[in-house]
Amino acid sequence: MSSLSSFAAISRPPSSLKRASFPSRQSSHFAFASQNRLCRFGIKCSYAESSVTEDSKSATIDVVADVKTERLVVLGGSGFVGSAICKAAVSKGIEVISLSRSGRPTDSSSWVDQVTWIPGDVFYANWDEVLVGATAVVSTLGGFGSEEQMKRINGEANVVAVNAAKDFGIPKFILISVHDYNLPSFLLSSGYFTGKRKAESEVLSKYPNSGVVLRPGFIYGRRRVDGFEIPLDLIGEPVERILSATESFTRPLSSLPASDLLLAPPVSVDDVAFAVINGVTDDDFFGIFTIEQIKEAAAKVRV
């Protein structure tokens, strides 16, 4: 997955509490139920109430919460960003299904065995097999090539995936997009950026209240290519620290054309992954997110 990003309006409301569903009880019991909505996540809570009946016997109220079991489909799950998302999801107890051309990666880490790996192409996918029971889909699809190839993989492939998810009633779609680096318009008209923007528009139009678009810059981490590990973090991590430390000095330069090619801070692949997890688990997390907001979102769940 490439790591360039873009411009945007951002929506990042606070986390919402999941509502507990309460079984029918006598009216005198509802006071307890209304005061204990935090008894969720499948916990059964009992409360003793005195003097409820004439014989002063105590009564109990069972509060049974509606527990939402997450099932995440990762498009491109065997790639650099996709595998980080799969790993982060597994660490949070989320069921994960990956659809990618290469299927199962060669990584021997234990988390790999906890993912369902499906080899396939988005354009010819058996969505009945991939999307059944899913609660969210995240797409890491993207790449470089000729103009037509970039429009197809960055744009058309994601549009196909968004529409498939919508048709199957999947409640949330998350897209890994690209920061625009303050590039002039003639550069943003390339197939790479136009494809990404087309995909973004599709996500936000089909999922206006639950679609998530992440726009990271250069994504660093340990990247495997043909069996070799490329330590992108040796470059990305120190650059991120330097740019963060000098932000107050460089901010006035951010309005200059293409300035973000030098000034946009890199993003850890783990931050991108955990920002996705935040998007999966928080129903109030939707809209377009910048580099800094991706890091903030990741910090909420990276514990």
Side-chain angles (χ1 to χ4, degrees), residues 120-154:
D121 189 308
V122 169
F123 289 105
Y124 311 104
N126 179 359
W127 295 113
D128 288 321
E129 177 187 11
V130 176
L131 296 178
V132 61
T135 57
V137 175
V138 57
S139 175
T140 69
L141 302 178
F144 292 96
S146 68
E147 284 291 298
E148 289 305 313
Q149 288 173 331
M150 289 190 291
K151 288 179 181 179
R152 181 172 172 80
I153 189 61
N154 294 301

Side-chain angles (χ1 to χ4, degrees), residues 112-218:
V112 176
D113 295 329
Q114 301 179 59
V115 176
T116 299
W117 302 98
I118 301 176
D121 189 308
V122 169
F123 289 105
Y124 311 104
N126 179 359
W127 295 113
D128 288 321
E129 177 187 11
V130 176
L131 296 178
V132 61
T135 57
V137 175
V138 57
S139 175
T140 69
L141 302 178
F144 292 96
S146 68
E147 284 291 298
E148 289 305 313
Q149 288 173 331
M150 289 190 291
K151 288 179 181 179
R152 181 172 172 80
I153 189 61
N154 294 301
E156 295 172 19
N158 283 308
V159 169
V160 167
V162 171
N163 282 282
K166 187 66 176 179
D167 290 343
F168 272 78
I170 310 304
K172 177 162 286 192
F173 196 101
I174 302 170
L175 175 71
I176 308 301
S177 190
V178 52
H179 182 61
D180 70 353
Y181 290 91
N182 291 341
L183 293 174
S185 57
F186 72 92
L187 290 177
L188 291 175
S189 64
S190 71
Y192 185 88
F193 287 102
T194 57
K196 287 290 188 181
R197 294 299 167 261
K198 182 177 181 179
E200 288 185 8
S201 296
E202 197 70 15
V203 171
L204 298 176
S205 64
K206 295 296 172 61
Y207 291 89
N209 299 312
S210 61
V212 177
V213 173
L214 302 183
R215 291 176 170 176
F218 172 72

Side-chain angles (χ1 to χ4, degrees), residues 45-278:
C45 307
S46 296
Y47 302 88
E49 179 188 358
S50 61
S51 301
V52 173
T53 59
E54 292 181 358
D55 59 359
S56 298
K57 291 182 178 180
S58 63
T60 59
I61 298 177
D62 292 332
V63 181
V64 181
D66 285 335
V67 181
K68 182 180 179 183
T69 302
E70 304 291 356
R71 192 168 195 257
L72 176 63
V73 172
V74 182
L75 304 179
S78 59
F80 174 48
V81 176
S83 59
I85 294 171
C86 290
K87 181 179 179 181
V90 166
S91 74
K92 295 298 180 180
I94 298 173
E95 183 181 356
V96 183
I97 298 91
S98 165
L99 174 69
S100 64
R101 290 183 177 181
S102 57
R104 183 188 175 96
T106 57
D107 194 324
S108 59
S109 301
S110 60
W111 65 266
V112 176
D113 295 329
Q114 301 179 59
V115 176
T116 299
W117 302 98
I118 301 176
D121 189 308
V122 169
F123 289 105
Y124 311 104
N126 179 359
W127 295 113
D128 288 321
E129 177 187 11
V130 176
L131 296 178
V132 61
T135 57
V137 175
V138 57
S139 175
T140 69
L141 302 178
F144 292 96
S146 68
E147 284 291 298
E148 289 305 313
Q149 288 173 331
M150 289 190 291
K151 288 179 181 179
R152 181 172 172 80
I153 189 61
N154 294 301
E156 295 172 19
N158 283 308
V159 169
V160 167
V162 171
N163 282 282
K166 187 66 176 179
D167 290 343
F168 272 78
I170 310 304
K172 177 162 286 192
F173 196 101
I174 302 170
L175 175 71
I176 308 301
S177 190
V178 52
H179 182 61
D180 70 353
Y181 290 91
N182 291 341
L183 293 174
S185 57
F186 72 92
L187 290 177
L188 291 175
S189 64
S190 71
Y192 185 88
F193 287 102
T194 57
K196 287 290 188 181
R197 294 299 167 261
K198 182 177 181 179
E200 288 185 8
S201 296
E202 197 70 15
V203 171
L204 298 176
S205 64
K206 295 296 172 61
Y207 291 89
N209 299 312
S210 61
V212 177
V213 173
L214 302 183
R215 291 176 170 176
F218 172 72
I219 302 176
Y220 67 84
R222 298 277 171 167
R223 184 167 192 165
R224 289 180 174 274
V225 178
D226 296 330
F228 295 95
E229 190 174 76
I230 303 175
L232 297 177
D233 52 331
L234 294 182
I235 299 174
E237 190 169 356
V239 171
E240 180 184 14
R241 291 178 179 176
I242 291 171
L243 290 176
S244 296
T246 60
E247 182 182 5
S248 59
F249 300 101
T250 60
R251 188 178 295 114
L253 302 175
S254 61
S255 60
L256 297 176
S259 59
D260 277 358
L261 287 173
L262 296 175
L263 301 179
V267 183
S268 162
V269 69
D270 292 330
D271 278 345
V272 174
F274 282 112
V276 168
I277 303 307
N278 195 0

